[in-house]
Structure formats: structure tokens, C-alpha cells
Amino acid sequence: MKKINILLFAVLVLSLFTGLKTTEAASNVKVHFINVGQGDSILIQTGNENVLIDGGGKGKGDEVVAYLKKQKVKTLNALVSTHPDADHVGGLAYVIKSLNVKSVYAPKISHTTQAYKDFLTAVKQKKLTIKKAQTGVEINTKAKDNSLKFIAPVKEYAKSDLNNWSAVLLLKHGKKTFLFTGDAEVKAESDMLAKKLVPSVDVLKVGHHGAKTSTSSAFINKARPKYAVISVGKNGYGHPTSTVVKRLNSVKAKTYRTDKSGNIIFTSTGQKITVKTVK
């Protein structure tokens, strides 16, 4: 018995003073597609960790923060700005000012809009630096059955081509997979496909609010999602287009829209996915 007790004590001391870390299963992972109208905002909860992708348009930050606080989120382990368009980055300055944000990720492309300048100012005021989102970069998670990895942008695009700069994030939880595509269009999709970075997925965040310039037939036939989510509000662009809706139907994806269902919440056990909607 004495030998066992001494061994256990030695292991405890070693873990305390050498910084050994234990990893735990995340149990359930929740993915919230927050209804921010014509824009994107997604909360990923992996155990006691929280990741936010985009913050809706300018003036939507307070709605996003209110939703996060309702989920008892006080700290964001990571915040991702997929690209500088105002309907994605607009609310992030308010989010950064309102919560404890540990790290920020964004592709290396800038913009001259006030919404993007406000985002940069908020990052600077919190003494944070922006980590480059690009293919192969991983967001660290403590849960052993989780991975969060960027599969795009694969390369640099023209400065005017903001949508194709979109940071595309792949979440794997056990046997279940989610893909968040920002506003990535056909050019970026083709580059991901050429590099064999696109797996079959369980849940797809449909690119660019259902615009016909995204979610190509080649892309959707490779991803073949069981569920698809279109984050969309009242708009003059015709989003989502019938072209994309037909493509999703062709692979028998069950499609949800934030403008019709409100907040859309997926829960993954790693083996099974359930979904509920909250208006």
C-alpha cells in the first residue's frame, strides 16, 4: 500500500510542476446559428470552451452578446472573423468590448469600411493580436474528441475578392462533422476541392447566404451534407437563390433558414446529431 501511495503522490507532484495536461471528452457539442438577419453569427460550444464565428452586421453586436449571455457565455476562447464584409464583421467590435476574448483569427485581408476599422480598433484596445486564418491552422481545444481546423483560404486572392478570402472552418466531433464556409465562392471552393480538403459533412453552413455564386454542384456533391443552414434575412439580392436550394435538394440535405426558423441549434454527441429551432 505504501508503495502505491508514494507512486500516486509522485504522479500528482509531477503533473503540478511539469504542466502535464489531461484531456477530456467534450461530451456534447452545441452549434448555434444565431438569427442576425442578413449576416452570419455562429456560436460553437465544446464542453467549457466557446468559439464565435462572425458577429452579424453593424448594430447587431448587442443582439449577439445578449444571446451569448443567455447561453451563460462570459469568455470566448476564440473569435473568428471570416472576412471583412460588414454583415459578418459589423457586430464583432461590440462583442470584443463586451466579453473576455482570448484569441482572434482572421484571414490576412483588410478593408477600408468603418465596420472593419472598428473591429481592428477593438482588437487593439483589448491588447490582442490577430492570428492568421488559413489552410492548416488549428484552433486549440482541450477536448480530445474535438478538432477545429481552417481549410481555407488556400491561397491569396485579389484584394477586391473579399468573399473568396473567407476563413472556412471544419469542426470534427467524434464521428460528426460541421463545415462553416463564410461567403466563400466558387473560386475558393474549387481551390479547396483541388487540394482534397473538403470531406463529406453532417452539417454545412451554406456559403454566402445562398447566393448562386457559392455552393457549386461540385462542392455540394463532395460535401453531401445531411443538414444545411442558410443564414439569411430580408434582402434585395434574392438570397437564397432557387439554384442553391435545388442543389441542396439534389443531395437530400434537410435545409434550415434563420429567417424562417430563428436561432438554429445543433447538438452533437459525437455519434448523433439533434436539432432544434428557437424563434
Side-chain angles (χ1 to χ4, degrees):
M1 284 295 291
K2 285 184 178 180
K3 285 185 179 180
I4 294 173
N5 288 335
I6 290 169
L7 181 60
L8 288 173
F9 179 74
V11 170
L12 176 62
V13 170
L14 189 64
S15 67
L16 287 172
F17 289 96
T18 62
L20 290 176
K21 292 182 179 179
T22 58
T23 56
E24 297 178 357
S27 61
N28 287 355
V29 167
K30 286 191 174 183
V31 177
H32 306 248
F33 293 88
I34 306 169
N35 181 20
V36 289
Q38 181 72 5
D40 274 20
S41 190
I42 302 155
L43 170 67
I44 302 170
Q45 295 183 292
T46 65
N48 62 350
E49 297 173 297
N50 303 294
V51 176
L52 183 72
I53 304 173
D54 291 332
K58 197 166 177 63
K60 292 290 184 178
D62 55 345
E63 293 180 26
V64 173
V65 169
Y67 185 88
L68 297 183
K69 288 184 175 179
K70 194 173 180 180
Q71 311 309 315
K72 297 182 170 50
V73 174
K74 296 179 181 177
T75 296
L76 290 171
N77 299 77
L79 179 148
V80 178
S81 170
T82 58
H83 65 298
D85 277 353
D87 57 334
H88 293 252
V89 77
L92 288 181
Y94 189 90
V95 172
I96 293 167
K97 291 174 184 176
S98 303
L99 298 173
N100 175 28
V101 178
K102 291 188 175 181
S103 59
V104 178
Y105 293 82
K108 197 173 182 180
I109 183 66
S110 61
H111 204 27
T112 56
T113 61
Q114 191 59 48
Y116 190 69
K117 288 177 182 176
D118 291 345
F119 163 65
L120 294 180
T121 299
V123 169
K124 186 176 180 180
Q125 286 176 344
K126 282 291 186 84
K127 295 182 169 56
L128 294 163
T129 56
I130 297 176
K131 298 178 181 180
K132 188 177 178 182
Q134 63 181 1
T135 303
V137 172
E138 195 160 354
I139 297 175
N140 291 329
T141 175
K142 293 175 185 175
K144 65 183 179 181
D145 56 351
N146 271 353
S147 70
L148 283 160
K149 186 177 287 187
F150 292 104
I151 65 169
V154 172
K155 63 181 185 181
E156 294 185 354
Y157 298 92
K159 288 187 177 179
S160 60
D161 196 6
L162 292 180
N163 287 341
N164 282 317
W165 279 93
S166 288
V168 176
L169 189 64
L170 181 67
L171 163 65
K172 291 183 179 179
H173 175 228
K175 294 182 178 180
K176 298 303 175 184
T177 309
F178 296 74
L179 187 60
F180 310 98
T181 58
D183 278 358
E185 296 186 341
V186 173
K187 192 184 297 183
E189 291 176 355
S190 297
D191 290 333
M192 286 183 266
L193 289 169
K195 295 286 187 181
K196 301 189 186 313
L197 296 170
V198 182
S200 59
V201 300
D202 293 283
V203 181
L204 173 70
K205 201 294 293 187
V206 175
H208 200 188
H209 322 291
K212 64 182 179 181
T213 50
S214 300
T215 322
S216 65
S217 294
F219 189 83
I220 203 71
N221 284 326
K222 182 63 178 175
R224 302 194 73 82
K226 295 178 180 67
Y227 300 95
V229 177
I230 303 173
S231 188
V232 66
K234 188 176 180 181
N235 67 89
Y237 307 108
H239 297 163
T241 61
S242 59
T243 301
V244 168
V245 172
K246 287 176 183 176
R247 287 173 188 162
L248 294 169
N249 289 339
S250 73
V251 295
K252 298 180 180 177
K254 184 171 177 55
T255 302
Y256 292 88
R257 293 169 47 164
T258 55
D259 61 338
K260 292 188 174 182
S261 297
N263 303 310
I264 303 159
I265 305 156
F266 289 83
T267 302
S268 166
T269 65
Q271 301 289 329
K272 181 183 177 183
I273 286 177
T274 54
V275 59
K276 72 173 183 177
T277 60
V278 181
K279 286 193 175 181

